[in-house]
């Protein structure tokens, strides 16, 4: 492989390459064939070994006990890379101290109270409320002219749901949406003030819940005392920030990517005619175009041999590329690179929600939200058409989130 090709590969693995349509798919597939990991440099100078393993190898890798999520270890390695590159070591420690930056046994204590609120049964109880929020958002869309369904539906729906779950008052939700979007950019000057504002707001809200508890999750986290589990005040705060960060833009991308895939593969009306198939269609979309491009950083504690003469050194940072695993032909067949909405249910599931200790705790909620958003949109607007061609649709340049910045549709009807 020439140097230029290699640079393109790194760029595409981290940021989606040319960021249009589905072009990054080819690069991820080529990367899997070229080797099990590729060293890439993020825009913030952090060096990361992107694992481009097949499905089973990636699933096993994520349970390797030589990997750590420890906040100090991961952030420490990032700082070292920035210092070595001669830039200000600007690492947000905002979700350090939450479950996603903890190793066992602390991880379980931090995760248990959140997991208790997100069991499939608890999530199912939210179905009517998620449907009502979705219908309200669809009511406000203009079916006669090109409409961006990311802004109108995919972005506000998950944020409203997560805010209601946490107990954030309705009038404050637009403010949280703006901070959350700014935090998800790769621009530190925008991230920093937004994260400080969100932390300040949530800290004050937590104090209110301490004084005056309600039925929502934030109060439960403040008052948790299950089998001796307790969360320190700063852990309640970092957990709340994590829930918003992890639960919002991922689900937004899941809704946008699914609607886009249905439009741009000409399958919209076929699925609209079979709304019962939507859960399977969403599963296929999460496999084909996962809302998480890479599973975020793990620290390699001891060298890990990935085969093919590639060893991840101790002290390195690694991410797992989901496109490479999810479109592995050995797991999903020779047409794994295609979106097949009525694909017979494959023997193995996609890896989009991760695996191991850190497997997504919100996966049942996310799947239900995407399913409801997609079904309600299809049933109400069965004749919708794309407003712009797929190769002009731009993706967000983000190392973790993989979604279109906008999905323009003439909804019709
Ligand atoms: C389609 C939408 C979503 C996708 C693709 C997704 C994906 C993921 C992935 C890949 C991980 C594993 C991270 C790792 O190993 O480091 C994860 C963890 C997590 N997700 Fe999700 N997620 C989604 C929606 C949600 C929602 C709606 C919530 C909250 C309501 C949520 C909360 C979390 C939390 C708290 C973790 C950390 C779990 C832990 O460290 O134990 N996610 N998610």
């Amino acid at each position: 492989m020439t140097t230029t090709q290699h640079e393109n590969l790194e760029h595409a693995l981290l940021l989606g390459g040319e960021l249009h349509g589905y072009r990054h798919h080819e690069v991820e597939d080529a990367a899997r064939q070229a080797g099990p990991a590729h060293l890439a440099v993020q825009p913030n100078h952090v060096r990361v070994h992107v694992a481009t393993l097949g499905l089973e190898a990636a699933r096993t890798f994520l349970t390797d006990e030589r990997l750590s999520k420890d906040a100090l270890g991961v952030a420490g390695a990032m700082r070292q890379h920035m210092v070595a590159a001669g830039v200000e070591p600007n690492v947000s420690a905002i979700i350090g101290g939450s479950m996603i930056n903890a190793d066992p046994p602390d991880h379980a204590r931090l995760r248990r109270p959140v997991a208790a609120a997100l069991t499939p049964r608890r999530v199912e109880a939210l179905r009517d409320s998620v449907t009502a929020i979705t219908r309200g958002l669809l009511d406000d869309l203009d079916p006669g002219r090109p409409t961006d369904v990311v802004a109108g539906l995919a972005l506000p729906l998950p944020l409203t749901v997560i805010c209601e779950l946490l107990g954030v008052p309705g009038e404050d939700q637009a403010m949280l949406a703006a901070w959350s979007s700014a935090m998800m950019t790769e621009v530190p000057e925008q991230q920093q003030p937004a994260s400080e504002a969100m932390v300040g707001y949530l800290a004050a809200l937590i104090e209110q819940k301490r004084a005056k508890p309600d039925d929502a999750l934030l109060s439960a986290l403040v008052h948790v005392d299950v089998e001796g589990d307790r969360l320190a005040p700063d852990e309640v705060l970092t957990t709340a920030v994590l829930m918003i960060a992890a639960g919002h833009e991922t689900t937004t991308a899941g809704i946008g990517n699914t609607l886009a895939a249905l439009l741009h593969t000409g399958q919209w009306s076929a699925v609209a005619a079979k709304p019962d198939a939507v859960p399977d269609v969403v599963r296929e979309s999460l496999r084909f175009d996962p809302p998480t491009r890479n599973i975020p950083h793990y620290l390699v504690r001891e060298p890990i041999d990935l085969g093919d003469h590639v060893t991840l050194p101790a002290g390195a940072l690694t991410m797992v590329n989901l496109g490479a695993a999810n479109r592995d032909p050995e797991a999903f067949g020779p047409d794994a690179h295609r979106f097949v909405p009525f694909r017979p249910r494959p023997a193995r599931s996609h890896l989009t929600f991760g695996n191991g200790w850190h497997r997504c705790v919100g996966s049942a909620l996310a799947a239900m939200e995407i399913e409801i958003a997609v079904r309600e949109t299809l049933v109400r607007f069965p004749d919708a058409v794309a407003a712009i061609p797929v190769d002009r649709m731009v993706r967000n340049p983000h190392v973790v989130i993989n979604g279109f910045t906008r999905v323009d549709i003439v909804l019709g009807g």
Side-chain angles (χ1 to χ4, degrees):
M1 193 176 291
T2 69
T3 312
T4 320
Q5 278 171 328
H6 204 91
E7 278 166 8
N8 284 343
L9 185 93
E10 286 178 15
H11 183 64
L13 287 175
L14 284 176
L15 295 171
E18 292 178 63
L19 295 170
H20 290 287
Y22 296 101
R23 285 182 205 163
H24 68 293
H25 285 194
E26 280 170 33
V27 186
E28 291 171 337
D29 289 344
R32 184 188 56 246
Q33 286 158 26
H38 303 274
L39 181 59
V41 183
Q42 293 184 199
N44 63 2
H45 303 281
V46 168
R47 293 190 314 279
V48 54
H49 296 257
V50 183
T52 49
L53 299 158
L55 181 77
E56 288 311 323
R59 203 187 291 286
T60 306
F61 180 64
L62 284 166
T63 61
D64 195 310
E65 290 180 358
R66 292 167 292 181
L67 294 178
S68 162
K69 278 289 211 191
D70 176 67
L72 291 177
V74 172
M78 289 181 173
R79 281 201 189 90
Q80 270 179 18
H81 298 180
M82 291 177 187
V83 170
V87 298
E88 182 69 21
N90 188 343
V91 179
S92 166
I94 194 118
I95 52 173
S98 75
M99 70 187 97
I100 205 163
N101 280 128
D103 287 335
D106 226 19
H107 170 263
R109 176 181 61 82
L110 295 162
R111 179 170 166 125
R112 256 192 301 262
V114 175
L118 291 169
T119 59
R121 196 170 54 83
R122 297 283 290 272
V123 166
E124 199 47 46
L126 300 172
R127 182 172 288 274
D128 288 350
S129 130
V130 174
T131 305
I133 299 166
T134 305
R135 289 184 179 161
L137 290 166
L138 291 175
D139 287 344
D140 290 341
L141 301 184
D142 181 348
R145 54 179 66 214
T147 300
D148 172 19
V149 290
V150 170
L153 173 69
L155 206 55
L157 174 65
L159 188 76
T160 311
V161 172
I162 198 82
C163 283
E164 306 228 325
L165 191 78
L166 286 170
V168 174
E171 63 272 21
D172 297 343
Q173 292 179 8
M175 208 162 57
L176 275 170
W179 293 329
S180 171
S181 298
M183 282 166 64
M184 295 309 290
T185 64
E186 295 288 342
V187 187
E189 297 75 32
Q190 289 181 24
Q191 278 175 350
Q192 194 66 18
S195 62
E196 280 168 14
M198 187 187 284
V199 165
Y201 170 83
L202 288 172
L205 187 64
I206 288 166
E207 284 319 304
Q208 282 176 31
K209 306 281 179 184
R210 197 181 297 285
K212 206 167 161 242
D214 59 20
D215 294 339
L217 180 58
L218 218 45
S219 284
L221 294 177
V222 170
H223 298 281
V224 69
D225 190 1
V226 183
E227 295 168 20
D229 283 354
R230 276 171 203 228
L231 301 194
D234 60 329
E235 291 172 339
V236 176
L237 182 59
T238 50
T239 301
V241 176
L242 170 67
M243 298 294 290
I244 293 170
H248 181 204
E249 308 234 1
T250 45
T251 315
T252 297
I255 296 168
N257 291 1
T258 307
L259 294 176
L262 287 168
L263 277 176
H264 291 291
T265 58
Q267 310 274 357
W268 185 284
S269 45
V271 178
K274 287 195 173 171
D276 289 350
V278 167
D280 284 342
V281 172
V282 169
R283 193 173 303 110
E284 168 70 352
S285 160
L286 290 172
R287 177 196 75 79
F288 165 76
D289 197 17
T292 27
R293 188 188 311 285
N294 295 297
I295 297 193
H297 309 84
Y298 283 77
L299 181 75
V300 180
R301 290 188 300 148
E302 292 170 37
I304 300 179
D305 180 359
L306 291 179
D308 225 4
H309 310 290
V310 175
T311 299
L312 302 184
L317 292 170
T318 184
M319 294 199 286
V320 174
N321 184 266
L322 282 170
N326 277 353
R327 292 190 302 276
D328 173 6
E330 277 191 27
F332 299 106
D335 63 350
H337 59 289
R338 288 180 51 224
F339 174 64
V340 182
F342 300 109
R343 185 182 287 279
R345 194 179 280 204
R348 298 298 281 159
S349 169
H350 60 68
L351 198 61
T352 296
F353 291 117
N355 194 34
W357 297 113
H358 295 280
R359 188 185 185 282
C360 180
V361 73
S363 60
L365 178 61
M368 187 179 81
E369 287 182 57
I370 301 170
E371 182 200 313
I372 291 173
V374 169
R375 188 189 296 110
E376 291 291 321
T377 310
L378 289 175
V379 167
R380 193 180 300 200
F381 303 111
D383 302 320
V385 290
I388 58 167
V390 67
D391 57 3
R392 280 190 28 222
M393 287 180 43
V394 180
R395 288 175 188 266
N396 269 319
H398 195 273
V399 297
V400 174
I401 308 291
N402 165 44
F404 291 105
T405 52
R406 40 190 305 142
V407 175
D408 292 285
I409 305 185
V410 180
L411 292 161

